[in-house]
Amino acid sequence: MMKRSAVPPGITYSPRSGKRYANSGSENRSNGYDSSRRYLPPANFVPVVISGSLAFVSGQGPLSDGTVVWKGSVGHDITPDEGYQAARLAAINALSVLKNELGSLNRIKRFVKLLAWVRSAPGFDQQHLVINGASDFIVEVFGDKGKHARSAVSATELPLGMAVEIEMIAEIAAE
């Protein structure tokens, strides 16, 4: 757990939850998601890496205000429809960290690839339908630019008990 004195400037530490948040100083609500208070990764990685004209978004899950909303195995603890909603929320979070990195989602030329994991109950084989929650949302927001290559695979466990985790690669325009 991070000690209060170890918190760098611009970071809020919640001693009650043990979570760290970045403060942008401005409030921006889109689709009911407040991107002004961003949850920071709980491990040693960054949310987005830009290399050339590609933006690589680290795995994002179905979190709201730093708390996992959809936990458990799809097909046992939650239904495929709930998994679909979890994938949609993970995509919203991925777009939020991408927007925070780029300054604007208008820089996105197209989505290249989505890689997704579904925490699955034994015998559950509908990962592709669960991850449609993310793909459908991205195409809904971006139209043809949102169409992407994709892999949807099963996992027995995911970090923090999340039901889904999504990475994305987007081609971006120069600043």
Side-chain angles (χ1 to χ4, degrees):
M1 185 180 294
M2 193 176 201
K3 293 182 180 176
R4 181 76 173 138
S5 60
V7 178
I11 302 295
T12 300
Y13 172 69
S14 171
R16 195 166 128 214
S17 69
K19 294 180 174 75
R20 299 176 306 146
Y21 298 91
N23 301 313
S24 70
S26 65
E27 197 166 308
N28 180 13
R29 293 184 185 271
S30 174
N31 295 324
Y33 184 80
D34 180 1
S35 64
S36 67
R37 187 174 181 196
R38 297 176 285 131
Y39 178 62
L40 297 177
N44 189 18
F45 65 93
V46 294
V48 180
V49 170
I50 307 292
S51 181
S53 64
L54 296 177
F56 296 82
V57 179
S58 295
Q60 300 295 314
L63 285 82
S64 179
D65 197 26
T67 302
V68 178
V69 176
W70 298 103
K71 283 187 172 188
S73 297
V74 179
H76 181 264
D77 303 308
I78 66 172
T79 67
D81 287 337
E82 291 170 324
Y84 180 97
Q85 293 303 317
R88 182 179 174 94
L89 180 56
I92 290 169
N93 290 338
L95 291 175
S96 178
V97 298
L98 190 54
K99 180 181 179 196
N100 285 324
E101 180 69 25
L102 299 176
S104 171
L105 294 176
N106 292 333
R107 288 186 56 200
I108 297 172
K109 288 183 171 182
R110 70 167 304 166
F111 286 85
V112 178
K113 172 88 178 191
L114 197 71
L115 175 57
W117 295 267
V118 178
R119 184 175 173 195
S120 303
F124 182 76
D125 65 356
Q126 303 297 305
Q127 291 81 10
H128 61 291
L129 298 177
V130 169
I131 298 307
N132 276 348
S135 294
D136 290 350
F137 179 74
I138 293 167
V139 172
E140 177 185 318
V141 172
F142 292 93
D144 285 341
K145 292 191 320 184
K147 293 181 179 178
H148 51 270
R150 185 182 88 182
S151 297
V153 297
S154 176
T156 56
E157 296 290 336
L158 289 172
L160 308 174
M162 297 184 303
V164 300
E165 183 172 355
I166 294 174
E167 290 182 359
M168 64 175 53
I169 302 169
E171 182 183 5
I172 58 171
E175 290 185 72

